[in-house]
Amino acid sequence: NDRGNIVASADLTLEGGFGSPVLAGTATVDEGVVYIPKSDDKEVISTDDPDLFNVADTAMLANRELIPSKNAFLANLVADVRVHISRDTWVRSPEANVEVYGDVAVRMERARDRMQLDGVISSERGTYEFLSKRFDIARGSAIFTNSTELNPLLQATGEYRVPQAGRE
């Protein structure tokens, strides 16, 4: 769909009764593309800026959009799935084209409207445009620390060649 195209395989089991289903196992993203929304009106802010905390609060609201609306069967679903993301999986936006790979444990409890991620998604290649400059990604990671917020610790090293007058 408009959010991406993923080729995946899974080894999952569904156990429990209608009122307490449990989905468990592993899933592998073999390849694909995930499109992230365009970030309009970017503004770099300091970590001690009070506006940063307002943004963090809205991130918790955004998590709820990732969990599908309730129905009778899914209302009490508990999912505990380990996801392996293979190389040749890309995250794209107008600013970014980054290959990602890694392993993440996903735990979702529908009755509590809670989703937890734990693991590391890494990158060693791709591009990212920032302040009208295109950086080559040398390495990066998104570290999820078993938090209920979809707010990983992001680290990235990018390279940008500065053109010098009179030199190739």
Side-chain angles (χ1 to χ4, degrees):
N1 62 22
D2 61 340
R3 292 184 184 182
N5 182 24
I6 292 176
V7 176
S9 56
D11 182 14
L12 301 171
T13 59
L14 182 61
E15 297 178 346
F18 189 82
S20 58
V22 177
L23 180 69
T26 60
T28 300
V29 175
D30 298 312
E31 63 179 303
V33 176
V34 175
Y35 297 102
I36 55 177
K38 182 180 180 192
S39 46
D40 294 325
D41 301 322
K42 284 187 262 185
E43 185 178 327
V44 179
I45 60 174
S46 170
T47 55
D48 57 0
D49 188 324
D51 287 339
L52 179 64
F53 295 103
N54 293 335
V55 172
D57 287 344
T58 60
M60 289 176 56
L61 208 64
N63 284 356
R64 293 186 185 152
E65 293 176 10
L66 296 175
I67 300 173
S69 62
K70 291 186 177 184
N71 68 39
F73 178 70
L74 297 176
N76 294 312
L77 177 69
V78 173
D80 196 357
V81 179
R82 297 209 48 87
V83 179
H84 172 74
I85 302 167
S86 301
R87 290 183 184 261
D88 204 23
T89 302
W90 294 83
V91 174
R92 293 187 175 141
S93 75
E95 298 91 10
N97 184 30
V98 180
E99 182 188 37
V100 294
Y101 62 93
D103 294 284
V104 178
V106 179
R107 179 155 177 89
M108 183 180 76
E109 297 177 52
R110 287 299 310 273
R112 299 165 113 186
D113 272 339
R114 189 168 94 172
M115 182 171 63
Q116 292 175 269
L117 301 174
D118 188 27
V120 178
I121 298 174
S122 301
S123 180
E124 292 175 358
R125 69 179 178 150
T127 59
Y128 185 80
E129 187 173 312
F130 182 70
L131 298 175
S132 300
K133 306 277 190 255
R134 185 156 297 273
F135 291 84
D136 292 323
I137 302 297
R139 67 183 170 277
S141 62
I143 301 170
F144 297 92
T145 58
N146 211 22
S147 173
T148 57
E149 295 179 30
L150 187 57
N151 188 17
L153 172 62
L154 298 175
Q155 304 176 84
T157 301
E159 298 172 348
Y160 174 74
R161 293 197 186 274
V162 178
Q164 295 179 356
R167 295 182 133 186
E168 290 188 19

